[in-house]
């Protein structure tokens, strides 16, 4: 088996290794990366080609750390973990501009004030009931957008901090 597949590969594990290889030459070849991860080159090829249905979680953690790709962890939780698939998590690292604009948009005073007002009304009355389910749904949607923005910011900061500390 060669160092890489001959067909274009959009697999996240492959893309993250190739991005990391720009800064760490040990990751240029699949064989060298596999050695660093403690797996066989054929196992890494299976991960990168999508032949393995679920990559072992310990290998995902190793790849995330070795490749400085924290999004591998959230991607795994969101798509491969039966518990995490219902969580709101960013699975890609947004640009700084994108994440700041999304976060500021979600924290816009009018939106935040409306959510606070709805929560106070719910708490001041009988709590969550059939009469305020629509408000709860709107609050949950707002919180999901906020959590995804914060999660994206955390990914970006984690990756950037690790890159700076690695210099």
């Amino acid at each position: 088996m060669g160092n890489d597949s001959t067909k274009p590969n959009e697999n996240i594990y492959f893309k993250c290794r190739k991005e990391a290889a720009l800064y760490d030459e040990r990751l240029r070849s699949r064989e060298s990366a596999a050695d660093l991860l403690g797996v066989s080159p054929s196992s890494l090829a299976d991960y990168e080609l999508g032949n393995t249905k679920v990559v072992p979680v310990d290998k995902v953690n190793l790849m995330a750390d070795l490749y400085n790709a924290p999004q591998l962890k959230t991607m795994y939780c969101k798509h491969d973990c039966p518990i995490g698939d219902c969580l709101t998590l960013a699975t890609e690292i947004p640009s700084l501009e994108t994440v700041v604009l999304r976060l500021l948009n979600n924290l816009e005073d009018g939106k935040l004030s409306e959510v606070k007002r709805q929560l106070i009304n719910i708490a001041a009355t009988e709590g969550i009931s059939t009469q305020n389910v629509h408000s709860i749904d709107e609050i949950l949607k707002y919180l999901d957008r906020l959590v995804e923005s914060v999660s994206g910011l955390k990914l970006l900061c984690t990756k950037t901090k690790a890159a700076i500390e690695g210099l």
Side-chain angles (χ1 to χ4, degrees), residues 39-156:
V39 298
S40 68
S42 63
S43 290
L44 184 55
D46 285 342
Y47 305 160
E48 292 183 353
L49 295 170
N51 296 334
T52 301
K53 187 167 177 92
V54 178
V55 177
V57 68
D58 61 319
K59 299 308 175 191
V60 174
N61 274 322
L62 283 171
M63 284 187 271
D65 293 341
L66 182 63
Y67 302 166
N68 188 22
Q71 71 272 28
L72 289 178
K73 293 178 183 181
T74 57
M75 182 273 316
Y76 181 90
C77 289
K78 183 74 178 158
H79 299 293
D80 295 333
C81 173
I83 296 171
D85 70 347
C86 65
L87 299 176
T88 301
L89 296 169
T91 56
E92 296 180 9
I93 298 178
S95 68
L96 181 59
E97 297 81 9
T98 299
V99 75
V100 167
L101 289 174
R102 283 182 187 161
L103 188 57
L104 291 176
N105 183 49
N106 287 319
L107 292 174
E108 191 265 318
D109 196 38
K111 290 179 184 180
L112 190 55
S113 293
E114 176 60 21
V115 169
K116 289 186 332 190
R117 186 192 61 73
Q118 288 174 322
L119 286 170
I120 289 169
N121 285 341
I122 291 168
T125 60
E126 68 242 22
I128 299 173
S129 67
T130 55
Q131 284 74 32
N132 55 31
V133 164
H134 178 72
S135 293
I136 294 296
D137 286 340
E138 291 302 313
I139 291 167
L140 291 174
K141 287 177 189 173
Y142 171 78
L143 292 175
D144 280 343
R145 288 190 306 271
L146 189 59
V147 166
E148 189 166 0
S149 296
V150 170
S151 178
L153 180 59
K154 286 180 71 174
L155 286 176
L156 176 65

